[in-house]
DNA sequence: GCTCATAGTTAGGAAGCCTAACATTCTGAG
DNA sequence: CTCAGAATGTTAGGCTTCCTAACTATGAGC
């Protein structure tokens, strides 16, 4: 909490990082806006693709409150993409899992979006792609320390 | 538009990029949610900090429609942070510029947010920071090719 | 068994974004 | 010079997403 102790170089990087990420929000929005599945729904589906998970975990992973997660999950359920099952180990909890249709929709949407982003990345040279590949885990690491 | 031609390695990078960016949205949101100025307002203020600009340019830079930009700008105006002046070269257009109070608020908010992000980046080692610094311009470049 | 914490849902409201319709100003073709 | 169409914003109305507060139902500890 003492700004004087911060390395100016780190501060400059922080500024650049913040700005880049702010713009990347719009990049991400446009990358993930395709068809009828929203970015948030994509996130939820990809979480559930690994294994069924609780509503509260969906909320935590999305950085939203539980009621908001419930709302989104209900929409996914009405669209037939996920099902809500009571957790056998805790009857208070609800497990969100992909339906067959949900898995198909998720895989399809992923494929199309990946192809579009790959087309963007294709314009970079090998060095740039290598740098980007090296930086992504670091950004994820920062994300986890949140 | 022919997915078969895409390098699998580039596709994998695209997937990772997309996922990282999607999570970074929430990171950015938490980094930029501080006090009373929202992330979008910060973006608008930082644009106007360089030079007065039109409503349509604000909208374009934020990736939103003109009416939505108008709405945000009116809020900033009501908060006393920007003023709306008719463009002397085109009376249809409106120039958004920072007020003194707006500039002070922006500088203050920037300082605090940069300090908080710098504290996160401080936990990385020098190599990680170097990689991150190298990657940021590349992400910006991708952003511009949008 | 009572009490308190935990998991989700429901209800109601705030904020942000959108499209459609409109007023005003500019531009250029005749 | 005039008038039709383009460009710039604003207003109006609606949709979506998120929030907090209040509630139900289940689990856990004394």
């Amino acid at each position: 909490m003492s700004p004087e102790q911060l390395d100016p170089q780190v501060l400059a990087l922080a500024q650049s990082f913040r700005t880049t990420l702010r713009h990347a929000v719009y990049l991400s929005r446009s990358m993930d806006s395709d068809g009828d599945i929203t970015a948030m729904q994509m996130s939820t589906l990809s979480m559930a693709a690994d294994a069924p998970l609780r509503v509260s975990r969906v909320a935590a992973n999305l950085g939203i409150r539980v009621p908001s997660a419930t709302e989104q999950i209900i929409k996914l359920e009405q669209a037939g993409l996920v099902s809500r099952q009571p957790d056998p180990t805790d009857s208070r909890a609800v497990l969100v899992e992909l339906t067959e249709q949900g898995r198909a929709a998720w895989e399809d949407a992923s494929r199309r979006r990946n192809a579009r982003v790959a087309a963007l990345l294709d314009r970079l040279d090998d060095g740039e792609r290598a740098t980007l590949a090296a930086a992504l885990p670091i950004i994820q690491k920062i994300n986890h320390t949140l």
Side-chain angles (χ1 to χ4, degrees), chain A:
Chain A
M1 294 303 165
S2 348
E4 305 81 11
Q5 297 182 347
L6 289 171
D7 182 346
Q9 227 173 344
V10 175
L11 259 182
L13 180 59
Q15 163 116 33
S16 176
F17 185 55
R18 220 160 52 77
T19 303
T20 302
L21 235 53
R22 208 168 48 211
H23 291 143
V25 168
Y26 302 109
L27 174 61
S28 173
R29 187 175 298 168
S30 95
M31 284 188 329
D32 267 343
S33 77
D34 174 45
D36 27 311
I37 298 183
T38 69
M40 250 229 19
Q41 292 177 327
M42 271 304 275
S43 298
T44 305
L45 291 180
S46 71
M47 281 185 261
D50 295 331
L53 77 173
R54 293 182 171 188
V55 172
S56 51
R57 276 206 66 76
V58 172
N61 288 345
L62 290 177
I64 61 179
R65 303 293 169 185
V66 170
S68 308
T70 295
E71 192 177 352
Q72 296 301 328
I73 290 166
I74 287 176
K75 281 187 187 163
L76 285 171
E77 189 181 33
Q78 288 170 345
L81 302 182
V82 305
S83 71
R84 289 193 292 173
Q85 307 290 341
D87 185 335
T89 74
D90 184 341
S91 340
R92 292 172 304 176
V94 168
L95 288 180
V96 178
E97 53 184 334
L98 285 191
T99 61
E100 270 185 45
Q101 186 188 345
R103 184 168 300 276
W106 171 66
E107 282 170 358
D108 192 56
S110 280
R111 233 189 325 269
R112 273 181 298 145
R113 289 162 200 224
N114 284 341
R116 277 199 302 153
V117 174
L120 287 180
L121 300 181
D122 204 47
R123 298 189 196 147
L124 302 176
D125 62 41
D126 286 342
E128 289 173 324
R129 275 193 294 271
T131 301
L132 191 58
L136 294 182
I138 300 174
I139 297 177
Q140 286 169 343
K141 184 175 167 185
I142 297 171
N143 214 337
H144 288 142
T145 66
L146 221 160

